[in-house]
Amino acid sequence: MTAAKLVINEIKGYHRFIQLMIVLTGVGALAALARFIFGLGVTTNLNDTYPWGLWISFDVVTSVPLAAGAFTIGVVAHVFHIKKLEPLVRPAIITGFLGYSLVCIGLLLDLGQPQRGINVLLYWNVHSPMFEVSMCIMAYTTVLTLEFLHPVAERFGWHLPLRLLRTLEIPFAILAAMISTLHQSTLGTFFLIAVDKLHNLWYNPLLPLQFWLSSIFTGLSIVIFEASLVHKYMGQPDESDLLATLTKIIPWVMGIYIAVKAYALAFLSHGPLFDRPVLLALFLVEMVVGVFVPFCMYLSNRIRTDKKMQLRAASFVLFGLVLNRFNVSMFGMEQPGQQIYVPSVIESLVTMGIISAHILFFVLIAKYFPIFEHHPEATDYTIPDHFRKLEKGPEGLKAAHEA
């Protein structure tokens, strides 16, 4: 049987939802190809008034904090040495790895001359926040790739790389936190130049701090969201007891975020706040539904044991983060009487394809690599001294301990 037939037979065995993701990813790839063939002017509704559209607002400004679970849970589990949270780390790393990989694709799509993207490495503009974000995203994607090699090495029994990766586990976590802190906050720095364009409900000098804080509690929330869904739809272990630990951490960060937000509105915003009813409504929905409601839910004792409540609270946080990033990067930028930007069909199909690709590749990686089997009670944390391939099963684990 040829390789093509083997692949086709494998795909036929997938769930229909995964088959749909394959189709949508293919459609998105074709739309991306059309963008490269015909250019931005023909395939998008971007113009001088709206140089940043859906691809920047969602695929970059929103997707980066949505992939923050990797560095947040990595710090909690590795740096603070809360080893019981280890089962949550690998799925978060996969989500981060896929998220940042797709962010890089989104950036290439949005560049007018993508072949000149290499110039960011050749001509350093150290005064530009875009330069910092570009370098940090490349560096952090590299770190996530190295962290992703851990389950790959286990899957194929590569002993020496696995030993090296185990040794670098904590340095990787620290490096990831440092790099993420830089670019998560600098995404907010982008909009500090829009003094007279971004509405006063969102514009203030503390935008970088707000972006960083929101990425932390969103990153932890997406770990809860992800773990709840893979338990429900992929039959993976119920991690609600571990998620209860995260529900104790998140409200502290959200409380600081609320305080910073209130201080910025009260003392750092200049100009009218209530002159645009539509923008005021968007702001209230963002804060009430996306911040205050989940904040109160995370404060309750019931959420420690209620799996459905954990998922609902995390979902509200993700909704609030997405709306916040769109409010800052798109809706809050619109001026009275200005033509409203509506993404083109190609832009929408590409974004849909990126979302589908993230879901598809996560499921496939989880299917073929040891992502959810990484539990402390069944994991060998020692560093073997002998050069050989790791054996699978209890015998191999025993041999590794003896080594």
Side-chain angles (χ1 to χ4, degrees):
M1 185 177 292
T2 63
K5 288 184 178 180
L6 287 173
V7 172
I8 292 173
N9 289 337
E10 186 76 7
I11 292 176
K12 287 180 179 179
Y14 292 161
H15 190 277
R16 289 185 178 180
F17 177 76
I18 301 305
Q19 294 176 350
L20 175 62
M21 293 298 102
I22 294 175
V23 173
L24 293 179
T25 301
V27 171
L30 291 176
L33 181 62
R35 172 262 174 270
F36 285 119
I37 294 175
F38 300 106
L40 289 174
V42 176
T43 58
T44 71
N45 287 337
L46 302 176
N47 49 50
D48 290 341
T49 305
Y50 292 102
W52 286 0
L54 178 63
W55 290 342
I56 292 297
S57 292
F58 182 81
D59 300 349
V60 178
V61 178
T62 302
S63 294
V64 167
L66 288 178
F71 94 86
T72 53
I73 195 66
V75 169
V76 173
H78 293 154
V79 178
F80 295 114
H81 209 66
I82 306 178
K83 281 295 184 181
K84 69 175 184 178
L85 298 180
E86 193 70 36
L88 303 176
V89 174
R90 283 195 180 178
I93 287 175
I94 300 306
T95 300
F97 168 71
L98 293 175
Y100 275 82
S101 299
L102 296 173
V103 163
C104 293
I105 293 175
L107 286 172
L108 287 175
L109 287 167
D110 198 73
L111 289 176
Q113 299 288 337
Q115 73 276 9
R116 296 182 180 176
I118 191 66
N119 286 348
V120 73
L121 297 175
L122 303 178
Y123 308 104
W124 288 27
N125 183 1
V126 295
H127 303 290
S128 169
M130 291 187 183
F131 170 77
E132 180 187 331
V133 169
S134 299
M135 298 297 285
C136 285
I137 285 180
M138 284 188 287
Y140 188 46
T141 304
T142 303
V143 172
L144 287 170
T145 303
L146 294 173
E147 291 184 315
F148 171 61
L149 290 179
H150 203 145
V152 174
E154 284 189 10
R155 170 66 177 80
F156 295 106
W158 296 338
H159 177 86
L160 191 59
L162 185 58
R163 174 178 178 172
L164 179 61
L165 291 168
R166 284 176 178 172
T167 305
L168 296 175
E169 193 173 61
I170 293 179
F172 278 161
I174 297 173
L175 185 61
M178 292 169 56
I179 298 173
S180 294
T181 297
L182 288 172
H183 70 263
Q184 293 284 0
S185 60
T186 305
L187 285 175
T189 307
F190 281 174
F191 303 98
L192 293 183
I193 196 174
V195 180
D196 299 319
K197 193 169 185 179
L198 180 58
H199 194 270
N200 298 307
L201 286 168
W202 294 281
Y203 183 86
N204 63 79
L206 297 182
L207 261 180
L209 177 60
Q210 292 173 12
F211 268 50
W212 178 65
L213 289 171
S214 61
S215 73
I216 294 175
F217 66 75
T218 300
L220 295 175
S221 294
I222 203 155
V223 171
I224 295 175
F225 181 81
E226 176 185 77
S228 301
L229 292 185
V230 298
H231 167 64
K232 184 175 182 180
Y233 295 108
M234 298 179 65
Q236 297 302 326
D238 180 11
E239 309 288 9
S240 56
D241 290 341
L242 302 181
L243 301 181
T245 302
L246 300 185
T247 63
K248 298 176 183 178
I249 300 173
I250 293 172
W252 288 95
V253 186
M254 293 190 75
I256 297 173
Y257 175 80
I258 292 171
V260 171
K261 194 85 170 177
Y263 175 80
L265 282 173
F267 301 105
L268 301 179
S269 294
H270 301 285
L273 298 176
F274 311 114
D275 58 327
R276 305 276 298 278
V278 174
L279 295 184
L280 178 60
L282 287 172
F283 177 80
L284 291 176
V285 172
E286 171 198 325
M287 292 302 298
V288 174
V289 179
V291 179
F292 290 120
V293 170
F295 177 66
C296 294
M297 294 174 72
Y298 280 128
L299 285 176
S300 69
N301 291 325
R302 178 186 162 193
I303 199 172
R304 313 289 181 249
T305 56
D306 191 332
K307 293 183 288 187
K308 291 183 179 179
M309 191 175 182
Q310 291 174 352
L311 178 58
R312 285 196 298 270
S315 300
F316 283 136
V317 169
L318 301 188
F319 170 79
L321 185 282
V322 173
L323 184 55
N324 169 262
R325 295 306 194 257
F326 269 87
N327 283 337
V328 173
S329 63
M330 186 181 294
F331 303 142
M333 292 284 191
E334 295 180 356
Q335 305 300 310
Q338 182 175 290
Q339 182 182 1
I340 297 176
Y341 161 78
V342 178
S344 68
V345 174
I346 294 293
E347 290 177 87
S348 302
L349 289 177
V350 167
T351 298
M352 179 187 65
I354 287 177
I355 297 172
S356 302
H358 194 137
I359 298 172
L360 172 64
F361 291 131
F362 180 88
V363 173
L364 293 182
I365 290 172
K367 180 179 176 64
Y368 297 109
F369 292 91
I371 304 302
F372 299 107
E373 294 82 357
H374 196 50
H375 282 250
E377 65 273 12
T379 302
D380 169 30
Y381 287 109
T382 63
I383 302 176
D385 295 322
H386 302 292
F387 178 70
R388 64 179 184 281
K389 292 186 67 173
L390 293 179
E391 303 292 339
K392 295 180 174 61
E395 297 80 4
L397 184 61
K398 180 179 178 182
H401 276 295
E402 292 174 354

